[in-house]
Amino acid sequence: MHPELLPVALGNYIGLSAVIFFIGVAGVLLRRNPLIMLMSIELMWNAANLLFLAFARAWLNNAGHIFAFLVITVAAAEAAIGLAIVVIVFRNRSNVDVDEVAAMKG
């Protein structure tokens, strides 16, 4: 590990990532708007990306960059599919509360 290569200490990256991740968890658990929930999931993905890149920089290993690229790709696909589902489900509804949607239950 080469902590001297990081302009900020590795612990600060970990702390910031944890804060961002728990803001995302709180958004998913506490909010009922599907768009807010999708954005909260994106926050959790980005918290993971921050850690991947910080550890990749600290250990001089490009694997973290590859994982971050994969996470960004999956997050983009998730956002596109999630927004499409939200648009289809709520096209004719005036309310966007996820608790009131029973159309996708089996």
Side-chain angles (χ1 to χ4, degrees):
M1 187 162 133
H2 305 281
E4 65 274 359
L5 295 176
L6 293 172
V8 179
L10 189 59
N12 293 336
Y13 287 108
I14 294 170
L16 178 63
S17 177
V19 169
I20 293 172
F21 187 83
F22 285 114
I23 289 172
V25 169
V28 168
L29 294 177
L30 300 177
R31 300 300 298 261
R32 299 291 84 189
N33 187 326
L35 296 176
I36 301 294
M37 294 172 78
L38 283 173
M39 288 191 299
S40 298
I41 292 170
E42 294 292 327
L43 276 179
M44 290 189 280
W45 287 113
N46 286 325
N49 278 340
L50 179 63
L51 277 184
F52 283 138
L53 295 177
F55 282 116
R57 176 76 179 204
W59 292 336
L60 297 177
N61 189 349
N62 287 333
H65 294 91
I66 295 168
F67 279 119
F69 181 73
L70 290 174
V71 167
I72 290 169
T73 304
V74 170
E78 171 257 336
I81 292 171
L83 287 175
I85 291 172
V86 168
V87 168
I88 288 172
V89 169
F90 295 108
R91 182 173 284 172
N92 296 325
R93 295 176 184 256
S94 60
N95 190 0
V96 291
D97 190 358
V98 293
D99 289 334
E100 296 177 7
V101 176
M104 296 191 67
K105 290 183 180 176

